[in-house]
Amino acid sequence: MKERTIVVVGAGPAGLMAAISASQNNNNNRVIVLEKNSEAGKKLLLTGGGRCNVTNNCNVDQLIKNTVTNGKFLFSCFNIFNNDDLMKFFENYGLKLKIEEGGKVFPTSDKARDVLYILLETLESNGVKIWYDSEVEKININENGISEITLRNKNIIKADSVIIATGGMSYPKTGSTGDGYRIVKELGHAVVDIKPGLVPIEIKEGWIKSLMGISLESTNIVCNVKDIEKPNKKPKTIKWTGPLIFTHYGISGPAVLNISSYLNKHINNSIIDIIIDIVPNVSEQELENILVSKEFEKNETIFKTLSKILPKNLVTALLDVLELNKDKKLSDISKEESNKIITNLKTLKLTPKDLRSISEAIITSGGISTKEIDPKTMASKLVEGLYFAGEIIDVDAITGGYNLQIAFTTGYVAGLNA
Ligand SMILES: Cc1cc2nc3c(=O)[nH]c(=O)nc-3n(C[C@H](O)[C@H](O)[C@H](O)COP(=O)(O)OP(=O)(O)OC[C@H]3O[C@@H](n4cnc5c(N)ncnc54)[C@H](O)[C@@H]3O)c2cc1C
């Protein structure tokens, strides 16, 4: 049988896994990975704060449900290579894994480098070559489909199949600068609008600055999204529970990052209210008992009372924002002032100005239209021999290991079929 050359563009998790499956049990495939950096997996090494939340130990329905954009597109791929298969793959190659809160799976060593090491070692034993400092500029096609690849240094590589795994546009210093979008547009593919996903939110209210640095372990966030062009349409509601951090420009933290991935499609065409319960573990009734009925220490200062249920820096900032003297005794606080405090604790209303830029985003939302990709093989429906894998595709998920799982799954399936 004639040897085939399969070229994978990008040595991130998707590209490395694609090269592994393309080279596994198939001696007729000569597999080459082209990477523009001088090392592989620069972004992979940053994942999970350097610990690499490699996947999530949930069922396939949850994998799809937690994919914010085009989850159903992944259904066939997950039937071929899902999170169980990924965990078995790593464990077979000697990488021990552990499961943490929320089903998040990490290497037991807490080192992303160990994940990268397994991928590179497997590639080496499969005889795959990685060409570093090799930036792909263009893919050339002829009447039969893929023909060759032009590198930036003008070298040309002949190929039978090409897998594009160049990632998105977030954290561009890692090499993900969106090259793939330009390359595939030249081949006729549609790219759905690129937006930041899993990104902090800028807030209009200027006083938010005084809450900067305050971090809350648990909050309930509700966003009401009203489409400006369809004022009669019922507002969409997005809810999330989890930690939140106030910053100099607005809000961040896991709950906010997840919400941003749902808001990014609405932020420029909707009126959005963000309502935060910053004390979800204290009911409105309990607050009323403390502040309105003053069931407890009447002679205590408002600062001391609130500090029993909230971090001290938050109480100081909140009283500042509400222009209330922190040394005022509880007995001197009016009903109106108490209600103002309760409203701000249980339903703090904020208005989003924008999302932070894509360079700060954990994930890129948008990318190559899934309508032009065969969901069973990751093959282009437009160009024979062209395949896609990872973040370059218009799929993105919430935090928890789902995005890496998508990269590994689509990579595996593309490699299997290329
Ligand atoms: C800070 C941070 C933390 C994260 N933590 C997690 C986590 O814990 N769990 C999780 O599931 N997800 C996490 N993610 C998301 C995850 O990293 C991505 O989903 C994943 O890296 C996407 O893999 P990829 O292979 O598609 O793209 P990338 O990892 O971006 O790899 C693309 C590769 O292609 C190369 N390339 C680009 N253009 C060219 C070109 N023209 N020629 C040659 N090579 C090129 C790039 O240099 C890069 O090496 C995190 C992301 C960030 C930024």
Side-chain angles (χ1 to χ4, degrees), residues 310-330:
L310 286 169
K312 283 197 175 68
N313 50 359
L314 176 61
V315 179
T316 307
L318 189 76
L319 294 177
D320 236 29
V321 169
L322 298 179
E323 293 174 349
L324 277 169
N325 182 350
K326 63 195 275 232
D327 297 322
K328 209 169 178 180
K329 288 213 176 104
L330 200 55

Side-chain angles (χ1 to χ4, degrees), residues 39 74 85 89 94 97 128 168 177 191 240 247 270 286 309 321:
E39 57 182 305
L74 297 168
D85 301 311
F89 166 86
L97 299 171
V128 175
T177 47
V191 174
W240 217 275
T247 67
S270 306
E286 280 172 277
I309 50 168
V321 169

Side-chain angles (χ1 to χ4, degrees), residues 55-83 240 262 375 395-398 401-403 405-406 409:
T55 185
N56 195 287
N57 183 40
C58 61
N59 59 35
V60 167
D61 286 349
Q62 291 294 322
L63 289 181
I64 291 172
K65 194 170 158 256
N66 290 327
T67 302
V68 181
T69 314
N70 293 320
K72 285 187 186 142
F73 168 78
L74 297 168
F75 185 79
S76 306
C77 269
F78 284 142
N79 266 337
I80 301 164
F81 190 78
N82 59 31
N83 47 349
W240 217 275
Y262 292 91
V395 280
D396 62 278
I398 63 167
Y402 303 101
N403 285 302
Q405 180 63 53
I406 292 171
T409 292

Side-chain angles (χ1 to χ4, degrees), residues 227-327:
D227 193 328
I228 295 173
E229 277 162 23
K230 294 175 193 147
N232 296 330
K233 204 174 146 195
K234 202 174 152 230
K236 198 179 160 80
T237 302
I238 302 157
K239 294 183 182 175
W240 217 275
T241 297
L244 178 147
I245 301 161
F246 291 100
T247 67
H248 64 284
Y249 54 77
I251 48 175
S252 185
V256 174
L257 297 184
N258 283 321
I259 282 201
S260 75
S261 285
Y262 292 91
L263 285 190
N264 62 12
K265 295 170 188 75
H266 305 286
I267 195 107
N268 295 321
N269 53 20
S270 306
I271 297 168
I272 303 172
D273 283 339
I274 300 181
I275 295 157
I276 309 173
D277 180 350
I278 57 181
V279 280
N281 301 324
V282 186
S283 70
E284 206 162 322
Q285 186 59 56
E286 280 172 277
L287 284 173
E288 274 188 18
N289 292 345
I290 299 170
L291 296 167
V292 183
S293 315
K294 308 184 201 310
E295 281 184 0
F296 305 106
E297 306 282 336
K298 286 194 180 58
N299 290 326
E300 221 170 54
T301 65
I302 180 72
F303 177 79
K304 198 165 177 202
T305 304
L306 288 177
S307 295
K308 289 176 182 166
I309 50 168
L310 286 169
K312 283 197 175 68
N313 50 359
L314 176 61
V315 179
T316 307
L318 189 76
L319 294 177
D320 236 29
V321 169
L322 298 179
E323 293 174 349
L324 277 169
N325 182 350
K326 63 195 275 232
D327 297 322

